[in-house]
């Protein structure tokens, strides 16, 4: 149904329109589409009656499918993820992908209306600019100077650099932080984000809106900055591929909260960076039942989360050790609030037991041989039994224990 109009001059759209026009299944079929949090599309069929508005999360999920189709089309095969996302709704990309944009009316194709802005968007953008200027003019903490290099997360182009070990010095000045984050004042009482705020928050309504950064006051002071905490989108207008991937995936599963893979604590997911008080990662193995299955470049992966307390080992109960050599696993060098494209637990095998084939149990590498961090999550072929598998990715319960002394055992 078309939106109601008001007034003879300066017409504005009403607050709500009925029905989401997304092709396929709507994620919120019982909720009207609110104009201020909708995406407008155009059908090239002039007589289309299917509607022009989608819930934002419905559009993002639908757009993900169109991007997957574009990835298989002609010259778009050589584009990066960022290029495909930027070109999709321009002539350059839409001419290739329009066949995947069929409208519900059955006689036309949909296209995002790039010229449309929700009511009040310009005012909100100006208010956001003023807020950021005030934030930057306030007191800020200096960037980390303890010599530890940054662990790099999945970028919006789809590429990923490995996390650096704590002992490794920073080698690339291009990855130095460019801004600092203003710390929130410490509060004597933990702040609780109300359901009312959560229901109306950002991206698609089911995720929390972060009101402050007080939860990160648990970190050492030298780590409360944008060097250790992801706080800004990388794409234009906040359209960062990593953030959209995580939010659209969790929205499709109706998961506004996630569980830590180690301590099982429940964490709110936020609509802007930092997305969680911890970090996400993708693994070819489902370490916990709460991990969400996704398809990435044709491979089945599991979106998993680890909380800040377990990454930082805030207390002895959160420390895990290798079952074979007793070495502690340390996630404190990882950037908080974003996502890694590989299994962070398996990226630094500490002993020969972690390098064995999952089938014949013979070593795949020499103990001194090392791969890139992300390569340990890729399928490899065992030179002895010729079985192809993600051999280096093993169950957490096989690799780690919380006991002070490791349980030496043979596998299987």
């Amino acid at each position: 149904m078309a939106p109601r109009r008001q007034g003879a001059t300066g017409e504005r759209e009403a607050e709500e329109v009925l029905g989401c026009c997304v092709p396929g299944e709507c994620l919120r079929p019982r909720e009207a589409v609110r104009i201020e949090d909708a995406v407008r599309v155009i059908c090239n069929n002039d007589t289309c009656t299917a509607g022009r508005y989608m819930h934002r999360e419905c559009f993002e999920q639908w757009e993900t499918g169109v991007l997957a189709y574009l990835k298989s089309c002609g010259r778009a095969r050589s584009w990066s993820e960022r290029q495909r996302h930027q070109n999709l709704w321009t002539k350059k990309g839409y001419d290739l992908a329009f066949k995947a944009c069929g409208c519900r009316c059955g006689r036309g194709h949909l296209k995002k209306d790039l010229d449309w802005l929700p009511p009040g968007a310009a005012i909100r953008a100006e208010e956001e600019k003023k807020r950021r200027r005030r934030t930057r003019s306030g007191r800020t903490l200096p960037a980390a100077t303890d010599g530890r290099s940054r662990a790099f997360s999945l970028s919006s182009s789809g590429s990923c650099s490995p996390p650096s070990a704590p002992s490794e010095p920073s080698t690339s000045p291009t990855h130095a932080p460019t801004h600092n984050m203003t710390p929130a004042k410490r509060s004597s009482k933990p702040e609780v984000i109300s359901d009312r705020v959560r229901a109306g928050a950002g991206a698609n309504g089911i995720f929390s809106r972060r009101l402050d950064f007080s939860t990160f006051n648990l970190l050492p002071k030298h780590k409360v900055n944008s060097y250790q905490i992801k706080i800004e989108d990388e794409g234009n207008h906040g359209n960062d591929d990593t953030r959209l991937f995580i939010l659209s995936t969790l929205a499709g599963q109706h998961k506004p909260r996630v569980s830590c893979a180690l301590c099982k604590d429940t964490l709110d997911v936020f609509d802007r960076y930092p997305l969680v008080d911890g970090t996400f990662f993708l693994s070819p193995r489902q370490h916990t039942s709460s991990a969400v299955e996704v398809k990435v470049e044709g491979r089945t992966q599991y979106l998993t989360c680890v909380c800040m307390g377990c990454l930082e080992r805030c207390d002895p109960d959160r420390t895990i050790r290798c079952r074979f050599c007793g070495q502690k696993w340390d996630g404190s060098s990882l950037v908080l609030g974003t996502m890694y494209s590989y299994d962070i637990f398996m990226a630094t095998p500490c002993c020969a037991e972690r390098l064995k084939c999952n089938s014949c149990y013979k070593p795949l590498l020499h103990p001194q041989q090392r791969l890139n961090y992300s390569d340990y999550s890729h399928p490899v072929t065992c030179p002895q039994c010729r079985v192809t598998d993600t051999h280096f990715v093993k169950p957490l319960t096989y690799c780690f224990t919380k006991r002070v002394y490791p349980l030496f055992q043979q596998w299987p």
Side-chain angles (χ1 to χ4, degrees):
M1 179 181 292
R4 299 185 296 275
R5 302 268 181 181
Q6 296 180 358
T9 60
E11 289 184 336
R12 68 178 183 86
E13 288 146 315
E15 291 185 355
E16 295 184 358
V17 290
L18 298 179
C20 176
C21 70
V22 64
E25 184 177 357
C26 174
L27 298 177
R28 296 160 63 184
R30 296 183 181 180
E31 297 183 28
V33 181
R34 297 187 62 83
I35 288 291
E36 64 270 23
D37 193 33
V39 176
R40 179 171 172 167
V41 293
I42 304 170
C43 180
N44 58 6
N45 173 22
D46 293 337
T47 61
C48 175
T49 59
R52 293 183 292 174
Y53 297 88
M54 299 184 194
H55 295 111
R56 186 167 296 276
E57 67 269 32
C58 294
F59 173 81
E60 290 172 354
Q61 179 169 281
W62 174 68
E63 184 184 49
T64 299
V66 179
L67 285 168
Y69 176 83
L70 179 62
K71 190 174 183 178
S72 65
C73 297
R75 61 180 179 273
R77 295 191 186 99
S78 62
W79 295 348
S80 67
E81 292 295 332
R82 181 186 290 273
Q83 288 173 321
R84 280 190 284 269
H85 198 279
Q86 291 175 340
N87 295 337
L88 176 58
W89 302 118
T90 66
K91 179 176 175 59
K92 188 176 181 179
Y94 187 71
D95 285 350
L96 299 173
F98 77 94
K99 291 182 180 179
C101 301
C103 179
R104 277 185 174 181
C105 70
R107 297 184 178 181
H109 296 87
L110 297 176
K111 183 179 181 181
K112 183 179 181 181
D113 187 348
L114 299 179
D115 298 325
W116 180 77
L117 287 175
I123 297 175
R124 289 194 295 271
E126 183 62 27
E127 290 176 348
E128 179 65 17
K129 287 181 181 179
K130 291 180 180 179
R131 186 191 66 79
R132 289 186 178 183
R133 283 197 294 267
R134 289 195 299 269
T135 300
R136 290 172 182 172
S137 64
R139 182 173 63 88
T140 59
L141 290 176
T145 57
D146 63 343
R148 295 201 296 181
S149 58
R150 178 178 179 176
F152 299 101
S153 62
L154 180 71
S155 71
S156 59
S157 64
S159 62
C160 183
S161 300
S164 301
S167 60
E168 295 176 346
S170 178
T171 58
S172 174
T174 62
H175 293 126
T178 58
H179 54 276
N180 296 324
M181 180 176 65
T182 303
K185 294 182 179 179
R186 290 183 179 272
S187 174
S188 59
K189 295 182 180 180
E191 184 163 10
V192 180
I193 300 176
S194 68
D195 291 337
R196 178 182 60 81
V197 173
R198 179 175 294 112
N204 34 36
I206 71 170
F207 299 109
S208 302
R209 172 61 53 88
R210 190 183 289 277
L211 301 181
D212 60 40
F213 295 94
S214 60
T215 56
F216 296 106
N217 287 334
L218 295 173
L219 298 172
K221 288 185 178 180
H222 68 269
K223 296 184 69 173
V224 184
N225 54 65
S226 61
Y227 193 78
Q228 296 288 156
I229 304 169
K230 174 79 169 176
I231 63 170
E232 287 190 2
D233 292 339
E234 295 174 0
N236 295 329
H237 310 295
N239 291 327
D240 181 82
D241 289 348
T242 300
R243 182 178 68 87
L244 294 180
F245 169 78
I246 293 172
L247 296 185
S248 60
T249 297
L250 296 178
Q253 299 286 327
H254 299 285
K255 287 180 174 288
R257 302 175 184 84
V258 292
S259 299
C260 174
L262 295 181
C263 68
K264 312 304 180 185
D265 281 354
T266 299
L267 307 173
D268 284 321
V269 178
F270 297 93
D271 61 348
R272 291 291 186 268
Y273 287 119
L275 298 176
V276 71
D277 295 342
T279 198
F280 289 100
F281 68 93
L282 294 174
S283 174
R285 180 179 291 274
Q286 189 174 18
H287 290 305
T288 174
S289 60
S290 61
V292 179
E293 181 177 338
V294 294
K295 287 287 186 180
V296 180
E297 296 181 350
R299 295 173 55 199
T300 298
Q301 301 280 306
Y302 293 91
L303 182 64
T304 313
C305 181
V306 185
C307 74
M308 179 171 60
C310 290
L311 291 171
E312 296 289 329
R313 299 180 301 175
C314 292
D315 57 69
D317 290 339
R318 295 179 184 269
T319 299
I320 59 173
R321 302 168 181 266
C322 175
R323 297 179 71 96
F324 306 100
C325 68
Q327 181 171 320
K328 296 179 181 178
W329 180 81
D330 184 8
S332 61
S333 64
L334 301 177
V335 179
L336 299 174
T338 184
M339 184 187 79
Y340 287 82
S341 63
Y342 53 85
D343 193 314
I344 60 176
F345 290 111
M346 307 300 160
T348 53
C350 51
C351 60
E353 290 294 326
R354 301 271 297 277
L355 303 175
K356 290 184 177 180
C357 170
N358 286 345
S359 179
C360 67
Y361 319 118
K362 295 180 180 179
L364 296 167
L365 301 174
H366 296 294
Q368 291 76 28
Q369 187 177 356
R370 284 293 178 263
L371 305 176
N372 292 329
Y373 294 87
S374 59
D375 289 344
Y376 290 104
S377 295
H378 294 166
V380 294
T381 301
C382 175
Q384 283 83 21
C385 66
R386 309 306 299 173
V387 171
T388 300
D389 192 7
T390 51
H391 293 289
F392 300 115
V393 181
K394 307 183 189 302
L396 293 180
T397 53
Y398 165 74
C399 295
F400 299 106
T401 180
K402 291 187 177 181
R403 294 172 180 264
V404 176
Y405 299 100
L407 298 178
F408 293 90
Q409 64 179 37
Q410 295 297 319
W411 180 50

